[in-house]
Amino acid sequence: MEPKISRRSVDLTGYPDLVVIYLGMRVNALRGIAAFLGIAPKLAAISKHKPDGLLAHETIVFGLRHVGFRQYWHNFESLERFTRSEPHRTWWRGFLKDNRGTGFWHETYRLKGGMEAIYLHMPPVGLASFAPALSPEGRHMSACGRITA
């Protein structure tokens, strides 16, 4: 006799503005190991000290030098508020000045519709593995501009 499969689904009616974001960091050079080891605990701490609007945070291992996170946010505004606050703001500005041998990407999906993505110092992954590249200029410079485009 085969064991019964436990099947479940979810009721998302209480989360009409739900946002899912996948983030990844990839070590591209030896110095990237130190950079990754420096930021990884800070990123993991997000799950312990959830910012306002963060519903869940999970770690995903894509490979030996590529780790990511999946986060569920109450709404896009909460996610944006977090990205503009400390410590995220300082880390992001520092990364844009010096990637320290790493690559970073994220893809954001809204239940209401709309997706956006950014890839920095990364080979094609995710949406970038099939969709045409777009330069993040003008309205495409920010996540807000890309997700509503």
Side-chain angles (χ1 to χ4, degrees):
M1 185 169 168
E2 290 186 38
K4 258 189 163 179
I5 295 173
S6 174
R7 292 175 54 171
R8 291 186 167 188
S9 187
V10 294
D11 177 4
L12 295 176
T13 57
Y15 304 94
D17 299 318
L18 184 69
V19 172
V20 180
I21 183 167
Y22 283 83
L23 309 103
M25 187 172 193
R26 182 176 187 264
V27 174
N28 291 330
L30 278 177
R31 71 185 192 124
I33 296 170
F36 175 76
L37 293 175
I39 193 70
K42 295 172 186 170
L43 292 171
I46 293 170
S47 65
K48 292 179 186 167
H49 310 289
K50 289 183 182 176
D52 185 40
L54 178 63
L55 302 170
H57 173 93
E58 303 168 340
T59 302
I60 303 167
V61 177
F62 294 109
L64 291 176
R65 60 185 188 140
H66 189 176
V67 175
F69 303 97
R70 177 174 48 214
Q71 296 177 338
Y72 299 90
W73 289 82
H74 192 264
N75 54 44
F76 190 75
E77 293 74 24
S78 297
L79 172 59
E80 269 211 314
R81 195 170 34 255
F82 168 73
T83 64
R84 297 181 193 292
S85 68
E86 296 300 336
H88 184 278
R89 178 176 46 202
T90 298
W91 175 81
W92 184 246
R93 285 182 181 164
F95 180 85
L96 292 176
K97 288 180 185 173
D98 180 5
N99 69 352
R100 297 174 52 210
T102 64
F104 176 81
W105 63 273
H106 79 242
E107 296 179 350
T108 310
Y109 311 91
R110 289 192 315 188
L111 184 62
K112 280 185 169 179
M115 293 182 253
E116 69 86 22
I118 191 82
Y119 309 91
L120 301 143
H121 307 288
M122 289 293 299
V125 297
L127 298 172
S129 67
F130 63 88
L134 179 65
S135 183
E137 299 170 348
R139 73 174 193 204
H140 299 285
M141 186 66 169
S142 71
C144 185
R146 289 187 301 268
I147 205 159
T148 58

